[in-house]
Amino acid sequence: MTIFRQLYDPPSRAFTYLVADDVSNSAVVIDPEEGTVLPLLGLIGELDLQLAYVLCTHVHAGTTPAAVRVRERTQARIVAGADAPIDADVRVSDGDSIAFGGEAIRVLETPGHTAADVSYLWRDRVFSGDALLIRGCGRTDLPGGDAGALFESITQRLLVLPGDTLLFPGHETHHRSVSTIAEERDYNACVAGRSRDEFITQRCTR
Ligand SMILES: [Fe+2]
């Protein structure tokens, strides 16, 4: 058995995810936000979980990520991409695996929103951060952004996953909290039917 929870932070429209192996009670959290830190810590306490890792899909330069607050409160180790601007305990690259209890999460490098974005694949679901959103995608005009790289990440790394893979993004769009890879292949107007050049020149507004 496993535990999977999605927490939502209305001001930032951001999602945080908690995944746990309920045999060992070992857990990971993906992308804590300022507004989800306290609810997250409450849930971890209620369910008597041990937080092993805080997984960051990406970090924006100049911010103090909520991941650091979670580490201070739990002793969990921070996991982030190779060049992510955070004091990470574990640096991951494509194909790496993060084990907790009897579970494992696989790392996919999906740069473009920032230079060091990664997505995390666990069982039948992928956590895509701000790379691929439901019917949208992350912006590329922030430091480290690269529209060509993001197009390749979305089309060659994420949309090639099995169609029934559940997509859990880093931000809410269109009042939806989950999609599938098959749906996004067909209906994500940022990339469906678009060339790399079109994606770069016609910025997608979600
Ligand atoms: Fe972002």
Side-chain angles (χ1 to χ4, degrees):
M1 285 285 288
T2 56
I3 294 168
F4 171 71
R5 297 289 182 273
Q6 181 184 53
L7 292 89
Y8 183 56
D9 179 41
S12 62
R13 298 170 67 195
F15 292 120
T16 294
Y17 301 95
L18 177 69
V19 181
D21 166 14
D22 72 354
V23 175
S24 64
N25 282 5
S26 183
V28 300
V29 62
I30 299 165
D31 286 344
E33 293 286 331
E34 278 309 309
T36 59
V37 169
L38 291 179
L40 171 74
L41 294 174
L43 188 55
I44 288 170
E46 278 179 354
L47 301 180
D48 196 24
L49 303 175
Q50 301 295 318
L51 193 65
Y53 295 104
V54 183
L55 308 179
C56 301
T57 59
H58 68 292
V59 177
H60 290 287
T63 63
T64 302
V68 174
R69 285 183 57 209
V70 174
R71 175 171 60 186
E72 288 167 0
R73 299 283 296 271
T74 63
Q75 313 301 315
R77 304 173 78 201
I78 292 178
V79 177
D83 300 318
I86 185 172
D87 171 29
D89 302 293
V90 181
R91 295 284 179 182
V92 288
S93 55
D94 205 60
D96 284 353
S97 191
I98 300 292
F100 59 103
E103 297 295 316
I105 286 183
R106 192 157 64 86
V107 175
L108 293 175
E109 288 185 1
T110 51
H113 171 61
T114 73
D117 278 50
V118 294
S119 295
Y120 295 103
L121 189 62
W122 174 67
R123 294 192 172 212
D124 63 347
R125 49 205 71 190
V126 65
F127 305 95
S128 57
D130 288 359
L132 179 60
L133 303 174
I134 297 172
R135 310 298 194 266
C137 66
R139 53 195 289 189
T140 56
D141 57 338
L142 297 172
D146 180 330
L150 183 59
F151 182 82
E152 284 158 16
S153 292
I154 292 172
T155 58
Q156 295 172 28
R157 309 311 311 277
L158 292 167
L159 295 185
V160 296
L161 294 170
D164 58 358
T165 306
L166 296 171
L167 174 74
F168 285 99
H171 278 283
E172 176 265 322
T173 49
H174 306 286
H175 303 281
R176 297 178 202 175
S177 56
V178 61
S179 182
T180 66
I181 290 297
E183 258 187 51
E184 295 308 310
R185 270 185 218 143
D186 288 345
Y187 302 118
N188 190 312
C190 293
V191 290
R194 273 183 154 186
S195 69
R196 185 178 187 275
D197 286 346
E198 287 167 339
F199 181 82
I200 293 169
T201 55
Q202 302 164 21
R203 181 177 295 169
C204 190
T205 53
R206 62 174 196 268

